[in-house]
Amino acid sequence: MGPLTLAVDTKTSSNPHLDATILKMQKSKPFASINAQEDKPFDFLRILFEGVIAGGTSGVVVETALYPIDTIKTRLQAARGGGKIMLKGLYSGLAGNLAGVLPASALFVGVYEPTKQKLLKMFPENLSAVAHLTAGAVGGIAASFIRVPTEVVKQRMQTGQFTSAPDAVRLIVSKEGFKGFYAGYGSFLLRDLPFDAIQFCIYEQLRIGYRVAAQRELNDPENAVIGAFAGALTGAITTPLDVIKTRLMVQGSASANQYKGIIDCVSTVVREEGPTALLKGIGPRVLWIGIGGSIFFGVLERTKRLLAQRRPVSDQQPNPKQD
């Protein structure tokens, strides 16, 4: 018996009887995980490895392509009042950020995939959404230990506080200590845990529903469109959380900070700038995350499929054309 697989490709199947059986199961249980190999043992290490590779690849591609939009979004959110937004140096901090994005994305998907697969086996099939939500949150917690320091350095460079990642690291350590790399950690979790959980849940559930309706496996453009929708919707919903996270991270952790915490930051921003300030940068954010979701999930699914095809024969599904 081979190991549990990450994805099932039925569009090229040469076994119409098995195809019909799978499609019947999909129709009768629209919220169930779709996996033709549920009776096979759980191969944690392989799922972890393939998740790490797919996640790291997806993260680097997205970050490189969309970094300028993220820079504009950060500067909009960090600006107080009617401050002007600089459009120079839109790739400022990219190299240093990629050094963090690669392991963070790899760790997130590496944790998310096996957690999702395990929870889908444990939960009733009509509760697969809960499995996706939980797995997204667990992956987010694991990745946060790398994401937060990376985000702190990146955003301070984007707002012109430092000119290079090494300088940023050195000065943050000298002035704020190691805890300076985790400035705004609470607000980061407040934003990213709901974001990760909601985005991946929406994406996974839409894919399941689409596969049932289409009665076939999704192609790359379809995965990309679903990823874009899931990202844009989640990005819009979590914009206020992102504004608060940005303000706390950019200010640092010195005693003279303007904001003393999440609640104080919210009340100060609303009092001094009005409630609409909590939606600053929503346009670039929705655009950035929508396009990013399209690229990320498109690359993710393609990479997972390529990795599955490169497995040794004994570790593969019998054959994608026979599922």
Side-chain angles (χ1 to χ4, degrees):
M1 303 277 294
L4 184 68
T5 56
L6 289 176
V8 175
D9 186 359
T10 62
K11 63 183 180 180
T12 57
S13 175
S14 60
N15 190 330
H17 298 292
L18 184 54
D19 282 352
T21 301
I22 294 173
L23 291 173
K24 183 177 180 181
M25 292 172 59
Q26 294 173 6
K27 290 180 180 179
S28 63
K29 298 176 180 179
F31 296 102
S33 61
I34 299 174
N35 195 323
Q37 303 293 320
E38 290 182 355
D39 60 332
K40 295 194 174 185
F42 184 78
D43 191 341
F44 173 81
L45 291 179
R46 179 185 58 72
I47 297 175
L48 172 66
F49 172 76
E50 293 185 354
V52 165
I53 298 300
T57 301
S58 304
V60 169
V61 171
V62 170
E63 193 68 17
T64 302
L66 302 181
Y67 195 80
I69 299 177
D70 183 37
T71 298
I72 294 173
K73 182 270 300 181
T74 297
R75 291 175 180 175
L76 283 170
Q77 292 179 342
R80 298 186 177 90
K84 295 182 178 180
I85 306 299
M86 295 187 306
L87 296 179
K88 294 182 179 180
L90 295 182
Y91 274 97
S92 177
L94 174 61
N97 195 51
L98 288 180
V101 167
L102 175 59
S105 299
L107 181 60
F108 176 87
V109 180
V111 171
Y112 171 79
E113 284 291 348
T115 302
K116 176 187 72 174
Q117 296 287 354
K118 197 68 175 178
L119 290 175
L120 287 173
K121 281 178 166 286
M122 295 170 56
F123 288 3
E125 292 184 333
N126 61 346
L127 294 180
S128 66
V130 178
H132 295 139
L133 281 168
T134 305
V138 172
I141 291 174
S144 70
F145 295 105
I146 300 174
R147 280 178 173 175
V148 174
T150 301
E151 190 85 351
V152 168
V153 172
K154 178 194 75 173
Q155 293 194 334
R156 295 196 193 181
M157 291 184 64
Q158 288 176 328
T159 53
Q161 296 184 36
F162 305 108
T163 58
S164 69
D167 286 343
V169 172
R170 179 174 54 82
L171 290 173
I172 288 173
V173 171
S174 64
K175 293 182 179 180
E176 304 171 38
F178 183 76
K179 68 178 183 179
F181 290 112
Y182 288 88
Y185 183 75
S187 62
F188 183 91
L189 291 182
L190 180 66
R191 181 203 70 173
D192 271 42
L193 290 191
F195 180 90
D196 290 332
I198 294 171
Q199 182 186 31
F200 274 77
C201 181
I202 291 175
Y203 173 74
E204 298 277 15
Q205 292 297 307
L206 286 177
R207 288 187 76 236
I208 291 174
Y210 193 100
R211 281 184 290 182
V212 171
Q215 300 186 3
R216 59 173 173 78
E217 194 63 26
L218 278 63
N219 56 38
D220 290 337
E222 290 167 337
N223 284 324
V225 170
I226 292 175
F229 179 81
L233 179 60
T234 310
I237 293 172
T238 58
T239 294
L241 301 178
D242 190 47
V243 171
I244 299 307
K245 183 232 34 160
T246 297
R247 293 294 182 92
L248 291 173
M249 281 188 167
V250 167
Q251 73 170 354
S253 58
S255 59
N257 286 338
Q258 179 182 3
Y259 310 118
K260 304 304 180 183
I262 295 173
I263 296 178
D264 179 62
C265 183
V266 173
S267 61
T268 301
V269 169
V270 171
R271 183 178 65 253
E272 295 182 354
E273 304 174 49
T276 57
L278 294 176
L279 296 177
K280 277 190 171 183
I282 188 171
R285 177 173 168 78
V286 169
L287 175 64
W288 166 55
I289 297 179
I291 298 174
S294 174
I295 299 172
F296 181 88
F297 286 110
V299 173
L300 181 69
E301 297 298 337
R302 169 56 68 91
T303 305
K304 286 163 57 176
R305 188 158 57 249
L306 291 176
L307 289 171
Q309 293 171 357
R310 294 177 63 86
R311 295 175 200 152
V313 175
S314 60
D315 291 340
Q316 294 186 26
Q317 297 177 2
N319 190 315
K321 295 184 178 182
Q322 297 177 357
D323 289 338

